[in-house]
Amino acid sequence: MARYRYCCRLRNLLLCVCTPFCCLLLFFTYAAVTISMSLNVVSSRPQVQVTNKPEKANNVILPVIPATFWEHHSSAFWNQLQRAVDYHFNPILYSESRNRSAIVHLGDSLLNKSFFEVTSMGHMKKKLEELPPAMQKYVSHMQRRSYPVLIQPDRACGAKARREDQTPFILFAIKSSELNIKNRQAIRQTWGQVGWVQGQKNSSNKEEEKVGGYVRRVFLLGKDNSQFSSPDLTELLKAENRRYGDILQWDFEDTFFNLTLKDVLFWSWFSRNCGQTLFVFKGDDDVFVNTPKLISYLHGELKKPHAQTTMKEFMIGDVIGNAMPIRGETSKYFVPDSFYKGIYPSYAGGGGVVYSGHLARRLHHISKTVHLYPIDDVFVGMCMLRLNALPIHHPAFLTFDFSEKDIEQPCLYHTILLVHKRSPEELLRLWAELKKTQTQCRDVPLRAPVTKKISLEPPS
Ligand SMILES: *[C@@H]1O[C@H](CO)[C@@H](O)[C@H](O)[C@H]1NC(C)=O
Ligand SMILES: *[C@@H]1O[C@H](CO)[C@@H](O)[C@H](O)[C@H]1NC(C)=O
Ligand SMILES: *[C@@H]1O[C@H](CO)[C@@H](O)[C@H](O)[C@H]1NC(C)=O
Ligand SMILES: *[C@@H]1O[C@H](CO)[C@@H](O)[C@H](O)[C@H]1NC(C)=O
């Protein structure tokens, strides 16, 4: 009995002493972390492991604190800018994040605010002055992403389909430039024809006559700033748009580094105008697309189990994983390490990529939490990572053309969905050829997909 009482007293004593002690310890740890983080928001780095799962609340997609592909501790210019934004989404380090939905809705101004805060600091001003001139020019406009529309289709969502009330199956959104009139014309006559397009039939799905879909088309343009352009070109473009209704032009300089603007502005336009469109093709105006096969392929994807779920993050193309920024100063992709440090996230080559309409709307939303990046397809990859989504690689997207030994193969163009790069004349010839061989090549399968395992982690 005495022994039992003794035990009891001991336990009470332990409880009385240990509980407050543990609480205090936890409190001090929390306080220490919080204080050290807020002391120097920009030069410190997060010590806390954060979730990698996308979270949802009130139908607002909250960004994932990314498995960082950029070097988080690096002092490179872009890295620092993005890190300042990331702090707003860290549930522990940033107190205002108690109302995260408010912050996501204010996305545009959040980027703007962080940009001016970070670039007004002394050491960042110095860093900016040390960037190459082309980069400095880029940075001077990189916080701006709203530009007036100069020309747009007058009917909803791209070129006039014969029956406007039908839900478009796929919208071709094609990056073009003012002068590429021939490219646009060839695309309109070949793989970019609008209206109902029949999918490629093979001998086993003869009864299934209805595999096809309504196609729409829009060309994405900025302003040409070359000495060749003249006011006449504007009139010409307006005439083109009156005839075909497929020109979407914004008032920014159509340069390589500005191509990312075509993505963010397109997503915004798409979200407003394209309602139920199932798929988006986004690519260059010098590619060849096997549209009938693409339509059949996408129908196949829709028939798969769990398609409802997979379509939320469906993106397919020529996926490049674990790429490093190009450091050769003569390349048009050159990005100095004072601007960006780290590997690139997996991204689908910008020559041609297909994604779901649902994903396009999610990208529009999430892009408000990522600073613009001068390489457009890499930027899309960054946004994908924030959605915790990965693009799927398919070998039928040939953004680097055929290899020598392929060329001999019969029915070559029936084995692919896209090939880069082809001139307007070649497009016309290839399209005619594709039509001519449709029956004899109908059972030729696409290049077999090999499931390329792409890791979110940088190689060690
Ligand atoms: C969060 O912000 C939104 C938009 O500003 C506001 O409507 C909502 O009431 C806020 N919620 C909380 C819990 O403060
Ligand atoms: C961005 O921030 C700057 C400085 O705080 C301000 O002058 C400018 O109007 C803001 N622009 C937008 C589009 O919010
Ligand atoms: C992008 O377009 C804007 C607006 O025309 C222009 O001021 C800026 O210099 C362009 N950026 C680059 C890197 O060409
Ligand atoms: C024929 O098409 C169907 C559906 O489009 C596909 O599942 C099947 O594999 C194809 N067969 C051949 C031989 O290509």
Side-chain angles (χ1 to χ4, degrees):
M1 224 28 202
R3 195 189 156 95
Y4 175 71
R5 265 208 307 274
Y6 174 73
C7 274
C8 237
R9 270 222 302 278
L10 188 69
R11 203 171 65 202
N12 284 346
L13 189 74
L14 274 173
L15 275 176
C16 285
V17 176
C18 290
T19 314
F21 178 75
C22 289
C23 288
L24 274 176
L25 188 72
L26 282 172
F27 174 74
F28 280 124
T29 316
Y30 173 77
V33 168
T34 312
I35 290 166
S36 74
M37 286 304 139
S38 52
L39 274 182
N40 191 348
V41 164
V42 170
S43 65
S44 60
R45 58 188 286 217
Q47 306 284 312
V48 181
Q49 214 48 57
V50 270
T51 171
N52 223 349
K53 293 256 155 50
E55 298 168 47
K56 248 184 182 171
N58 312 324
N59 287 329
V60 179
I61 311 151
L62 299 177
V64 177
I65 309 293
T68 41
F69 42 92
W70 62 83
E71 278 183 26
H72 228 268
H73 51 278
S74 162
S75 63
F77 192 84
W78 193 92
N79 302 40
Q80 293 224 19
L81 283 181
Q82 189 57 40
R83 194 163 53 220
V85 175
D86 286 352
Y87 271 90
H88 289 256
F89 299 105
N90 192 312
I92 293 167
L93 303 181
Y94 195 77
S95 56
E96 274 175 49
S97 55
R98 258 177 251 132
N99 194 346
R100 301 216 292 160
S101 60
I103 293 167
V104 179
H105 285 306
L106 296 173
D108 280 335
S109 60
L110 168 68
L111 286 176
N112 187 50
K113 193 164 153 263
S114 76
F115 182 89
F116 283 102
E117 268 171 20
V118 173
T119 53
S120 63
M121 290 185 299
H123 73 285
M124 287 294 272
K125 278 194 186 135
K126 196 159 154 284
K127 195 173 275 296
L128 179 56
E129 281 159 21
E130 283 161 10
L131 289 173
M135 264 324 171
Q136 286 191 33
K137 183 182 172 206
Y138 178 74
V139 170
S140 69
H141 283 83
M142 75 176 275
Q143 91 290 5
R144 181 173 176 198
R145 41 173 102 186
S146 83
Y147 288 94
V149 171
L150 295 174
I151 302 177
Q152 62 180 323
D154 59 353
R155 302 239 208 141
C157 196
K160 301 159 197 165
R162 226 165 273 132
R163 294 175 53 191
E164 293 282 336
D165 54 325
Q166 291 292 330
T167 304
F169 184 77
I170 187 165
L171 169 69
F172 285 118
I174 304 147
K175 292 178 269 180
S176 189
S177 62
E178 289 187 344
L179 286 168
N180 287 2
I181 300 166
K182 276 179 85 179
N183 299 54
R184 289 195 289 278
Q185 206 53 27
I187 290 170
R188 289 181 183 118
Q189 289 166 15
T190 59
W191 58 265
Q193 281 170 30
V194 297
W196 173 265
V197 174
Q198 187 75 51
Q200 168 86 56
K201 280 178 286 185
N202 62 30
S203 40
S204 67
N205 66 356
K206 237 179 219 157
E207 313 94 66
E208 243 186 299
E209 294 289 311
K210 282 294 270 185
V211 173
Y214 283 92
V215 171
R216 299 214 184 155
R217 174 187 69 223
V218 67
F219 292 101
L220 313 175
L221 282 80
K223 288 285 290 172
D224 254 347
N225 206 18
S226 68
Q227 68 222 57
F228 306 109
S229 67
S230 59
D232 297 349
L233 226 43
T234 306
E235 286 313 307
L236 218 70
L237 279 171
K238 283 186 177 156
E240 237 183 292
N241 193 44
R242 275 195 298 275
R243 184 150 157 67
Y244 301 105
D246 60 1
I247 303 285
L248 180 53
Q249 187 185 32
W250 295 278
D251 192 10
F252 62 81
E253 218 180 299
D254 209 339
T255 56
F256 180 68
F257 279 179
N258 266 349
L259 282 180
T260 312
L261 287 170
K262 291 191 183 176
D263 287 278
V264 294
L265 292 171
F266 168 71
W267 290 334
S268 162
W269 179 84
F270 179 87
S271 301
R272 270 180 284 119
N273 291 289
C274 295
Q276 300 304 310
T277 305
L278 281 173
F279 293 102
V280 172
F281 166 93
K282 170 127 189 310
D284 291 335
D285 64 358
D286 57 354
V287 299
F288 177 80
V289 179
N290 186 340
T291 307
K293 208 111 188 191
L294 180 61
I295 287 176
S296 298
Y297 176 79
L298 293 175
H299 267 287
E301 288 298 303
L302 286 175
K303 281 203 208 93
K304 282 189 179 165
H306 313 301
Q308 283 278 36
T309 313
T310 51
M311 280 304 139
K312 285 186 188 151
E313 51 183 61
F314 179 79
M315 179 182 278
I316 192 158
D318 184 4
V319 174
I320 300 145
N322 291 331
M324 294 295 290
I326 306 273
R327 304 297 193 200
E329 283 176 43
T330 52
S331 164
K332 75 169 176 173
Y333 300 99
F334 169 59
V335 172
D337 66 358
S338 53
F339 185 78
Y340 178 90
K341 237 179 167 162
I343 59 159
Y344 286 153
S346 294
Y347 65 95
V353 50
V354 174
Y355 46 85
S356 67
H358 190 144
L359 181 60
R361 287 187 290 274
R362 295 179 69 207
L363 285 168
H364 166 58
H365 188 78
I366 208 75
S367 68
K368 294 172 185 171
T369 67
V370 186
H371 273 290
L372 289 185
Y373 195 78
I375 318 279
D376 61 347
D377 39 16
V378 172
F379 176 78
V380 177
M382 290 171 168
C383 294
M384 284 291 278
L385 194 62
R386 290 217 132 200
L387 290 173
N388 207 24
L390 277 179
I392 306 161
H393 179 72
H394 198 300
F397 286 81
L398 270 75
T399 51
F400 294 102
D401 217 323
F402 295 107
S403 64
E404 287 277 324
K405 69 176 193 335
D406 289 333
I407 294 173
E408 309 288 298
Q409 200 182 327
C411 297
L412 186 60
Y413 285 85
H414 292 265
T415 67
I416 53 116
L417 294 172
L418 171 137
V419 63
H420 185 249
K421 85 191 249 177
R422 296 292 180 269
S423 68
E425 293 77 17
E426 284 172 310
L427 287 190
L428 295 169
R429 191 177 54 73
L430 288 170
W431 188 251
E433 182 77 15
L434 198 75
K435 293 276 140 184
K436 212 170 73 192
T437 54
Q438 208 153 43
T439 314
Q440 103 198 43
C441 295
R442 66 182 170 183
D443 287 332
V444 173
L446 284 177
R447 301 174 154 235
V450 277
T451 25
K452 200 155 129 184
K453 191 105 182 90
I454 294 149
S455 139
L456 278 170
E457 302 295 326
S460 48

